[in-house]
Amino acid sequence: MHDKPTASPVHRAWAAGRRWLDSRTVHRHTVDLFVPLICFGLMLLDVPGLAEGDNPLNGYSATVVLALGASSLLLRRRFPWIPYVVALGLLGWLHELTLVQFALYKIGRYRGRAAAIVATAGYVVCAYLLFLFQRWPEKQADTLPEFLSLVVPIGVLAAGVGVAANRQDLVRELEVQKAHTAALRAVQQERASVARDVHDFVGRELTLLAVRAEVLAVRARGQAHQKDFDELSETARTAHRILNELIVQRARERDPTPGIEALSVLAAEGERAGSRVELDIDAQAAALSPLRQAAVYRVVQECLTNAVKHAPGEAVRVRIALDGAHLRVEVVNGLPRARPAKQPVSAGTGTFSMDERMRAMGGTLESGHHGGEYRVVAVLPAGVQ
């Protein structure tokens, strides 16, 4: 039997560092600002050479130009080709290689392998034309082999690392989707099991109740209580029939849960019930996965139902926004001005179901009175770049 090899201190330290980073949630806007600052810091090392080079820049103007170039990285997630074009411009003017490395990495990260290959080829061709027309400084590369050994590895390595990061993102998202699918499948199986138990046990008791009531009705024929027993028997049969219809309807239910686009229908239904509904939906919410859109729909649906039930006539505000790497759903309605004459029928499980759904997706849900209003706030991972 072979002993399991012991991890080295370096490996243990690396694993501990990864666990520590995974346990910390960094706001996406912080990362968006941090990356350009790193790039700008590396580019500052070239300022003395640029100030002495054959260009009209001095130390201050070179710093400003490099800062503007690095700031283009703020657009790298949605428009990664913009930093790439800016990097090629700095490459042709100042022979600056730092920004192009960041730009190629981001194209590979956010646009995939095909885009990374095209961008790398364009970068190499552009640099070769500069070398061919003697626009490349001799102090960096005097011969073609030296030039290629400098330019090609930079582009290929940066783009390759970006493509690898892109695949890691896809694998991570796939694992999350698999986990969510497995959780939903387990919930569906549990619901099916509960439905079978309800049908077997509750249905049996309702059948016995109906039969017993019929027997008593026969025995009480011609007496004052015969009508009561007949009504009891009919009520039991009706309850049994409704139970079977509900179970069959659940078993046949195959339509997917609506998404973001169906919230307007919920709002219209709420307004028909007497509660004005205001929708404020982030345009980026359309990029959410169907699973997250279904969760948002269920939360808003339950909140609108509760608002109509417990605070009829009060306006409801629904706000859905992408806050960095998180999706925030906020539903607020006013409190009723007077106590209702009759307490609404409620099982008291709506909020629990919403909280359970959010926790299953790695999110949180908070609800309660706040400033004379009732507020429900659900936060879950957005899963979009």
Side-chain angles (χ1 to χ4, degrees):
M1 181 179 293
H2 300 284
D3 294 333
K4 184 177 180 179
T6 304
S8 65
V10 175
H11 290 165
R12 290 197 298 269
W14 172 258
R18 287 296 301 271
R19 289 193 297 269
W20 183 85
L21 288 176
D22 292 340
S23 64
R24 266 64 180 174
T25 300
V26 181
H27 201 284
R28 193 181 73 171
H29 295 317
T30 303
V31 178
D32 287 344
L33 182 62
F34 191 57
V35 171
L37 289 177
I38 293 177
C39 179
F40 178 60
L42 294 175
M43 294 166 72
L44 284 178
L45 301 176
D46 297 332
V47 168
L50 296 178
E52 297 175 359
D54 186 16
N55 58 65
L57 301 178
N58 54 34
Y60 295 104
S61 59
T63 302
V64 172
V65 170
L66 295 182
L68 292 176
S71 64
S72 65
L73 289 172
L74 294 172
L75 306 174
R76 66 190 185 276
R77 292 183 185 271
R78 299 189 62 181
F79 308 105
W81 290 103
I82 293 180
Y84 175 75
V85 172
V86 174
L88 292 184
L90 292 181
L91 178 68
W93 180 21
L94 305 176
H95 310 105
E96 173 59 53
L97 291 171
T98 303
L99 181 59
V100 76
Q101 298 177 60
F102 281 81
L104 288 173
Y105 169 80
K106 298 306 176 183
I107 288 178
R109 172 75 181 276
Y110 299 119
R111 291 297 181 268
R113 182 175 61 180
I117 293 175
V118 172
T120 304
Y123 152 72
V124 173
V125 169
C126 181
Y128 176 70
L129 292 176
L130 293 174
F131 178 83
L132 190 63
F133 291 102
Q134 298 181 355
R135 294 289 307 278
W136 196 266
E138 295 183 357
K139 62 181 180 180
Q140 292 187 8
D142 188 17
T143 63
L144 181 60
E146 292 178 352
F147 167 79
L148 294 177
S149 64
L150 171 67
V151 171
V152 175
I154 288 177
V156 173
L157 180 61
V161 174
V163 172
N166 176 265
R167 295 197 172 189
Q168 287 294 327
D169 291 341
L170 294 177
V171 170
R172 192 178 300 111
E173 180 66 18
L174 180 61
E175 291 176 349
V176 172
Q177 293 292 345
K178 286 183 177 179
H180 290 166
T181 302
L184 289 178
R185 186 180 296 112
V187 170
Q188 293 295 337
Q189 292 176 351
E190 181 65 20
R191 287 178 177 176
S193 177
V194 171
R196 287 193 298 269
D197 292 341
V198 169
H199 181 271
D200 293 341
F201 295 103
V202 179
R204 175 178 176 274
E205 297 301 324
L206 288 175
T207 301
L208 293 177
L209 177 60
V211 173
R212 182 61 176 168
E214 290 176 357
V215 172
L216 293 176
V218 172
R219 292 180 179 177
R221 183 171 298 169
Q223 299 181 10
H225 298 294
Q226 179 183 357
K227 182 179 179 181
D228 297 332
F229 289 130
D230 288 334
E231 291 178 354
L232 179 60
S233 176
E234 182 62 26
T235 301
R237 285 195 299 269
T238 301
H240 197 183
R241 183 172 61 254
I242 293 175
L243 176 64
N244 290 337
E245 290 176 354
L246 289 175
I247 293 175
V248 170
Q249 182 180 0
R250 284 292 185 180
R252 292 177 179 176
E253 195 175 59
R254 291 295 182 267
D255 294 335
T257 302
I260 298 295
E261 73 284 350
L263 293 181
S264 58
V265 179
L266 287 180
E269 293 176 352
E271 292 182 355
R272 284 195 298 269
S275 297
R276 183 169 56 87
V277 180
E278 300 177 5
L279 292 179
D280 182 9
I281 304 176
D282 194 327
Q284 296 181 356
L288 295 172
S289 65
L291 188 64
R292 289 177 174 83
Q293 292 197 34
V296 172
Y297 180 88
R298 290 305 187 195
V299 169
V300 175
Q301 183 184 45
E302 182 64 28
C303 290
L304 293 181
T305 300
N306 290 339
V308 172
K309 183 187 302 181
H310 298 283
E314 298 294 330
V316 183
R317 302 192 305 275
V318 179
R319 184 173 183 271
I320 300 171
L322 286 174
D323 184 12
H326 295 88
L327 172 67
R328 179 184 175 90
V329 182
E330 183 176 356
V331 184
V332 181
N333 63 267
L335 299 178
R337 297 180 177 84
R339 294 177 60 88
K342 294 183 178 180
Q343 290 296 327
V345 178
S346 176
T349 60
T351 303
F352 174 78
S353 298
M354 289 191 295
D355 182 66
E356 187 179 44
R357 183 184 293 271
M358 290 298 103
R359 286 189 287 106
M361 300 188 67
T364 60
L365 185 135
E366 297 179 357
S367 61
H369 298 274
H370 182 79
E373 298 176 323
Y374 190 81
R375 177 175 299 174
V376 176
V377 178
V379 180
L380 66 156
V384 295
Q385 296 291 344

